[in-house]
Amino acid sequence: MALVIGLGCLLLAVALGAFALMLRPRASAAGSLALIETSYSAAPAASAQDDVQSPGWLRLLGLRLSPSGVAMRLQHRLDLAGNPPTWTPDRILAFKGMGLLFGAALGAFLSFRSAGWLVVGIAAGGGFGFFLPDLLLLNAGQKRQEKIRRALPDAMDMLTVCVEAGLGFDAALAQVARNTHGPLAQECARVLQEMQIGKSRNEALRALTTRTTVSELRAFVSALAQAGELGVPIAAVLREQAREMRLRRRQRAEEAAQKVPVKILFPLITCLFPAMFVVIIGPGIISIARVLTGL
């Protein structure tokens, strides 16, 4: 009797487990892609003790003073900056409102002596504080894109070697993401994740071009898309793109070297020449002054 009851309980547990699995919602490809986008664009959830929520009225203040569609533009700039963990569009809008108030208060404190200067100080301080988060976000995005531009020729060489050695493009891209560091490796890993979820190669690579402003990377994605449509061997395309990127890197280095004399001219004039004049002409001026005072 106990054996029958045990078998009955076991069958009931198996039936309940199967029923629960049937009721469990299945993740579709679109849902998984949305999850990837959310994981890259949203900040990770912090603990209740460490998370400091910004007041909602500051975000509303920044939103009211910004043009329409500012949230989408801020999200695009965050994508260019690599989506820093604590940066979200709502927090940036809150910081813009906070910067407006603090900048206006600081400008009023520094120029309270006259009414005219008070208005100018409030306007200048408020405008600077309001646009300061935008400048910081733009600076972060430009630095990240510059890191991608510098790492791209070496990554292209590794990608070319892997493909010519017999690996497929996806496996070669995985090697680049695994053996390199920095923003470019993160973008390669994201492309691989999107391809594994269900996006085609062209769609994943074209999504990459929306998250970067590097012209060389955009040209590389366009060349890959055309090679896939025309049936050109991908190894030849990679070899040509790697050679062109090395050439562009050398040209950028030569251009930067040509700019050095112009950039060093102004510090030379303002810092070195006055000291040289004092050392060279100073004794003569002292001698002339002694002669004139003696007369």
Side-chain angles (χ1 to χ4, degrees), residues 11 45 97 180 186 190 210 230 278:
L11 291 175
T180 59
Q186 297 173 1
R190 181 171 178 177
T210 62
L230 299 177
V278 170

Side-chain angles (χ1 to χ4, degrees), residues 162-190:
C162 292
V163 171
E164 290 181 346
L167 292 179
F169 179 77
D170 300 349
L173 197 63
Q175 291 293 329
V176 173
R178 186 180 301 114
N179 297 320
T180 59
H181 303 281
L184 186 58
Q186 297 173 1
E187 292 295 340
C188 292
R190 181 171 178 177

Side-chain angles (χ1 to χ4, degrees), residues 144-199:
R144 186 172 185 270
Q145 299 304 312
E146 183 62 27
K147 290 180 180 178
I148 292 176
R149 180 179 288 109
R150 292 181 178 179
L152 189 58
D154 296 332
M156 285 299 304
D157 290 336
M158 183 181 298
L159 195 62
T160 304
V161 170
C162 292
V163 171
E164 290 181 346
L167 292 179
F169 179 77
D170 300 349
L173 197 63
Q175 291 293 329
V176 173
R178 186 180 301 114
N179 297 320
T180 59
H181 303 281
L184 186 58
Q186 297 173 1
E187 292 295 340
C188 292
R190 181 171 178 177
V191 169
L192 286 172
Q193 288 181 357
E194 293 179 352
M195 290 168 62
Q196 291 172 359
I197 289 302
K199 275 189 177 182

Side-chain angles (χ1 to χ4, degrees), residues 85-252:
T86 58
W87 292 23
T88 61
D90 291 340
R91 286 188 177 183
I92 293 175
L93 289 173
F95 283 135
K96 287 169 71 70
M98 187 184 302
L100 174 66
L101 297 180
F102 275 101
L106 182 61
F109 176 75
L110 294 177
S111 58
F112 66 95
R113 296 182 179 179
S114 62
W117 284 108
L118 181 63
V119 174
V120 173
I122 291 175
F128 178 77
F130 184 76
F131 290 107
L132 181 61
D134 292 330
L135 295 176
L136 295 177
L137 183 58
L138 181 63
N139 185 35
Q142 289 177 350
K143 288 183 177 179
R144 186 172 185 270
Q145 299 304 312
E146 183 62 27
K147 290 180 180 178
I148 292 176
R149 180 179 288 109
R150 292 181 178 179
L152 189 58
D154 296 332
M156 285 299 304
D157 290 336
M158 183 181 298
L159 195 62
T160 304
V161 170
C162 292
V163 171
E164 290 181 346
L167 292 179
F169 179 77
D170 300 349
L173 197 63
Q175 291 293 329
V176 173
R178 186 180 301 114
N179 297 320
T180 59
H181 303 281
L184 186 58
Q186 297 173 1
E187 292 295 340
C188 292
R190 181 171 178 177
V191 169
L192 286 172
Q193 288 181 357
E194 293 179 352
M195 290 168 62
Q196 291 172 359
I197 289 302
K199 275 189 177 182
S200 64
R201 180 188 299 173
N202 289 338
E203 290 176 351
L205 289 175
R206 291 192 183 279
L208 172 62
T209 59
T210 62
R211 301 190 300 268
T212 182
T213 58
V214 181
S215 58
E216 292 88 345
L217 189 55
R218 291 174 177 267
F220 167 66
V221 172
S222 299
L224 281 182
Q226 293 178 0
E229 294 175 357
L230 299 177
V232 180
I234 192 171
V237 176
L238 291 176
R239 190 184 308 110
E240 183 63 26
Q241 288 293 319
R243 186 189 65 81
E244 185 176 354
M245 288 182 187
R246 287 195 301 271
L247 177 62
R248 290 187 180 183
R249 180 172 61 180
R250 184 167 61 251
Q251 289 175 350
R252 285 197 302 269

